[in-house]
Amino acid sequence: MKNHLLALEDFSREELRALIDRALQLKAERSQGMRHQQLSGRTICLLFEKPSTRTRVSFEAAMFGLGGQVTFMSTRESQLGRGEPLKDTARVLSRYVDAIVVRTFGQDVVEELARYAAVPVINALTDLHHPCQVLSDLMTVIEKKGGPENLKTVWIGDGNNMANSWIEAAAVLDFPLTLACPSGFGPDQAILEKARSRGSRPILVFEDPVEAIRDADVINVDVWASMGQEKEQAERLRQFQSYQLNSTLLAGARDNAMVLHCLPAHRGEEITEEVLEGPQSVIFDQAENKMHIHKAILEHFIAGAIQ
């Protein structure tokens, strides 16, 4: 397996499934009261340019749950905010910690850090990719419904970093994926084309959410305006109105379809209160699974526990 986790396309099916299977095992062991100490004496640095609730706390809880320690740094608290070269930051932090977990805007930031770091760099979110989140989402799908290969998985809304990582996951794990995005808000075209050339199952993109959701087994939604897009909020609200996951749209899916949302949710925008709190929502199980998949990721990339 690679030394860094920057994007899901860098891995094989076997490697991604090993991480997910290990996360399921760690979750089961925790529920049985087992204490994990695999990373005792190890330290990670959370280097966050974007604010976070779930990503920060789940990585911290994961590292503490493996016996390790965490140092958190926002851009305001580091020399990155004063223009220090990324290559200097990478080389210095490599002398202090065992892995660098980065949440930032540009994919070029995590790539440059990885180029110069002597320790693993883990992409906790960029504007282009959100690999750790999609791994936790897939963990939830597998936990609730088994492998995604025979399921219809649907993404509804913005073709954002989450959509891009779902597309890469579909190609690597070879499962069908359907997306519904407004015109002009589709996923990254280069990522889409590369994924289609790699996988054998269809990756379809529609503009009509009603057509996309028909007979869906798994439905994903996300906010319509991500961090850094606040100035586009009003226009996006207008463009995305028909993409709201409400009871009417959900009725087109299978009766036992599961609803995913990576949170935070804007209730009344991309998803209604009724659906988010409804019986088909597994959103809070999905949120918990972030911690378990982060354990598996940290364990592997720091200790090399997965063979």
Side-chain angles (χ1 to χ4, degrees), residues 20-300:
I20 294 169
D21 291 344
R22 180 57 176 158
L24 289 166
Q25 181 183 1
L26 289 166
K27 181 177 182 178
E29 291 174 354
R30 181 175 182 265
S31 71
Q32 296 162 8
M34 186 178 298
R35 291 175 60 85
H36 298 114
Q37 292 294 307
Q38 295 94 314
L39 299 184
S40 177
R42 304 296 188 99
T43 303
I44 63 170
C45 176
L46 302 185
L47 187 60
F48 281 26
E49 191 174 5
K50 287 188 174 185
S52 168
T53 299
R54 280 152 296 275
T55 300
R56 175 179 175 175
V57 175
S58 59
F59 263 111
E60 289 182 342
M63 191 61 177
F64 291 140
L66 294 172
Q69 302 179 66
V70 179
T71 294
F72 178 84
M73 292 172 48
S74 70
T75 303
R76 297 187 307 274
E77 297 162 338
S78 73
Q79 292 297 328
L80 286 179
R82 301 180 179 90
E84 179 176 53
L86 288 170
K87 61 183 180 181
D88 292 357
T89 298
R91 288 179 288 191
V92 170
L93 289 179
S94 296
R95 307 291 181 101
Y96 301 151
V97 301
D98 297 286
I100 306 169
V101 179
V102 187
R103 182 177 172 91
T104 187
F105 290 91
Q107 183 69 15
D108 59 313
V109 173
V110 294
E111 290 177 355
E112 185 167 357
L113 286 169
R115 189 176 304 120
Y116 289 97
V119 298
V121 172
I122 297 168
N123 179 359
L125 176 143
T126 65
D127 288 346
L128 192 62
H129 296 290
H130 204 348
C132 296
Q133 177 65 58
V134 171
L135 284 175
S136 69
D137 298 351
L138 284 164
M139 175 186 172
T140 308
V141 172
I142 291 168
E143 183 179 47
K144 302 290 186 181
K145 288 184 172 291
E149 295 82 6
N150 298 315
L151 301 173
K152 181 177 179 181
T153 300
V154 176
W155 175 270
I156 296 176
D158 190 21
N160 59 13
N161 51 3
M162 285 287 295
N164 292 335
S165 287
W166 266 103
I167 289 168
E168 291 191 342
V172 175
L173 297 175
D174 209 22
F175 63 84
L177 179 67
T178 301
L179 300 97
C181 308
S183 177
F185 295 92
D188 184 273
Q189 196 62 30
I191 290 174
L192 180 61
E193 292 175 2
K194 189 173 183 179
R196 283 172 169 169
S197 67
R198 176 173 180 171
S200 65
R201 308 296 294 277
I203 302 176
L204 306 175
V205 181
F206 294 99
E207 290 186 18
D208 183 0
V210 175
E211 181 179 3
I213 205 172
R214 188 174 295 119
D215 297 325
D217 298 291
V218 179
I219 305 156
N220 294 273
V221 295
D222 194 8
V223 295
W224 291 339
S226 300
M227 281 176 283
Q229 298 173 333
E230 289 79 8
K231 292 181 180 180
E232 304 172 24
Q233 179 76 20
E235 176 62 17
R236 284 174 172 266
L237 285 175
R238 187 182 68 81
Q239 294 275 5
F240 283 79
Q241 284 182 0
S242 63
Y243 292 80
Q244 181 189 77
L245 185 59
N246 50 40
S247 58
T248 302
L249 185 58
L250 183 59
R254 295 188 184 275
D255 292 340
N256 65 344
M258 58 187 281
V259 173
L260 298 172
H261 191 309
C262 66
L263 299 177
H266 293 170
R267 301 169 192 234
E269 292 183 14
E270 75 276 0
I271 190 169
T272 61
E273 176 86 6
E274 178 185 15
V275 172
L276 189 148
E277 298 288 357
Q280 291 171 261
S281 169
V282 296
I283 289 169
F284 295 102
D285 293 330
Q286 173 191 2
E288 177 190 341
N289 283 341
K290 285 172 69 74
M291 178 181 68
H292 302 297
I293 199 71
H294 292 166
K295 279 187 177 181
I297 289 167
L298 293 171
E299 180 188 60
H300 169 75

